[in-house]
Amino acid sequence: GAVVSQHPSRVICKSGTSVKIECRSLDFQATTMFWYRQFPKQSLMLMATSNEGSKATYEQGVEKDKFLINHASLTLSTLTVTSAHPEDSSFYICSARDGRREGGTEAFFGQGTRLTVV
Amino acid sequence: DQQVKQNSPSLSVQEGRISILNCDYTNSMFDYFLWYKKYPAEGPTFLISISSIKDKNEDGRFTVFLNKSAKHLSLHIVPSQPGDSAVYFCAASTGGFKTIFGAGTRLFVKA
C-alpha cells in the first residue's frame, strides 16, 4: 500500500512551547490530509481536514489557533501545536488520500506521534 | 453523537475459529465503510472496505458484510490467527471524504 511518513514519532516538550509534526506522502499525491488525535483506550478523533492549497476545516471543539495546520504541497502537511500544555499530551496521527485515484477511497496513515508536554 | 459505534470493546477467540467484529452506524449518508487494524503506538493500517452498493466483500481470510437496512456491518476473520490480535476500527465516510471512526474492538486470538 501507499506510504505515509510521520515525524517525529515521539516528542517531549516544555509547557508553553510549540511543536511541529510533519506528515508526508511518499509515493502518491495527497489531495486531502486528515489529522486525528487519540486518547488512551479511545477512538481516533478527527481534528481537522485539509485540502492542498486551502485552509483546513476544523471539527467542532478543536481550536484552530492552537492546532495550526498547513498543507502547502501535495506531499506534505504539518500540524503545529502552539503553546502546548500538559492536556495536549496525546497520540497524534495523520492520514492522507489521493482523491483523484480511481477505486477505493481508503486513507493511509502515518505512524503517529506521541506528544508529551511536561 | 457517535455516528459509528463498536459496542464490544474486546473479543477473545481461539486460534482457528472465526472472529466476528460488529459495527453499527447512524448516518444513512455514509456510502463507504472501512476496517482498519491497529497495533499499539502505530498508525492504523487499512484492512478491507466495502461500498454501500455491495453487501459483501471478501479478501483472503477477511470478509466484510454490510446490512444497509439495519445500518450494520461486520468483519469476519476465518481462521483467526494469533497475529490477528490487535485493535480493529470500523470507519465510515461520505463520498470517500471525512472518515469517522468507531471506538475500536480489541481482538485477542488465543493459541
Side-chain angles (χ1 to χ4, degrees):
Chain A
V3 179
V4 174
S5 175
Q6 187 173 340
H7 178 80
S9 59
R10 286 180 177 271
V11 59
I12 301 173
C13 70
K14 290 186 177 180
S15 187
T17 61
S18 295
V19 174
K20 181 184 282 189
I21 303 169
E22 291 188 348
C23 182
R24 293 180 184 273
S25 58
L26 299 185
D27 53 0
F28 69 103
Q29 293 186 321
T31 55
T32 307
M33 284 195 171
F34 306 90
W35 286 94
Y36 292 86
R37 180 174 179 176
Q38 185 182 27
F39 293 100
K41 298 182 181 179
Q42 293 189 30
S43 184
L44 301 166
M45 302 300 297
L46 180 64
M47 298 174 66
T49 303
S50 71
N51 292 301
E52 184 264 336
S54 57
K55 288 185 178 180
T57 302
Y58 289 80
E59 295 300 302
Q60 192 173 9
V62 178
E63 299 175 60
K64 60 181 180 182
D65 294 331
K66 181 168 188 61
F67 298 100
L68 301 179
I69 292 172
N70 183 284
H71 190 173
S73 78
L74 283 170
T75 59
L76 175 64
S77 176
T78 61
L79 167 67
T80 302
V81 183
T82 62
S83 187
H85 290 284
E87 57 265 30
D88 299 324
S89 299
S90 191
F91 192 57
Y92 294 87
I93 307 176
C94 71
S95 73
R97 63 182 292 268
D98 182 349
R100 300 164 301 181
R101 195 166 66 92
E102 292 289 331
T105 59
E106 67 270 17
F108 299 94
F109 284 80
Q111 306 93 319
T113 297
R114 170 73 60 193
L115 170 63
T116 304
V117 185
V118 297
Chain B
D1 176 33
Q2 274 189 292
Q3 297 186 62
V4 179
K5 299 178 185 179
Q6 292 177 259
N7 293 317
S8 298
S10 66
L11 173 69
S12 185
V13 171
Q14 196 69 37
E15 180 180 9
R17 297 289 189 95
I18 185 171
S19 295
I20 300 176
L21 298 115
N22 293 303
C23 179
D24 297 293
Y25 62 96
T26 58
N27 188 343
S28 58
M29 297 299 292
F30 287 140
D31 59 4
Y32 202 74
F33 304 89
L34 312 96
W35 284 94
Y36 287 85
K37 180 179 179 179
K38 184 181 182 301
Y39 294 110
E42 293 184 11
T45 54
F46 170 73
L47 202 54
I48 193 169
S49 63
I50 188 167
S51 163
S52 61
I53 62 174
K54 295 185 176 181
D55 54 20
K56 177 182 175 181
N57 188 26
E58 190 172 354
D59 183 3
R61 296 186 297 114
F62 303 92
T63 303
V64 56
F65 295 92
L66 175 63
N67 182 334
K68 281 191 298 182
S69 60
K71 293 192 176 69
H72 176 84
L73 66 155
S74 60
L75 174 68
H76 293 210
I77 306 173
V78 56
S80 301
Q81 300 172 354
D84 296 329
S85 298
V87 176
Y88 289 80
F89 288 99
C90 166
S93 69
T94 305
F97 196 59
K98 188 164 73 173
T99 304
I100 306 297
F101 284 80
T105 297
R106 183 175 296 278
L107 174 65
F108 299 94
V109 180
K110 298 175 289 186

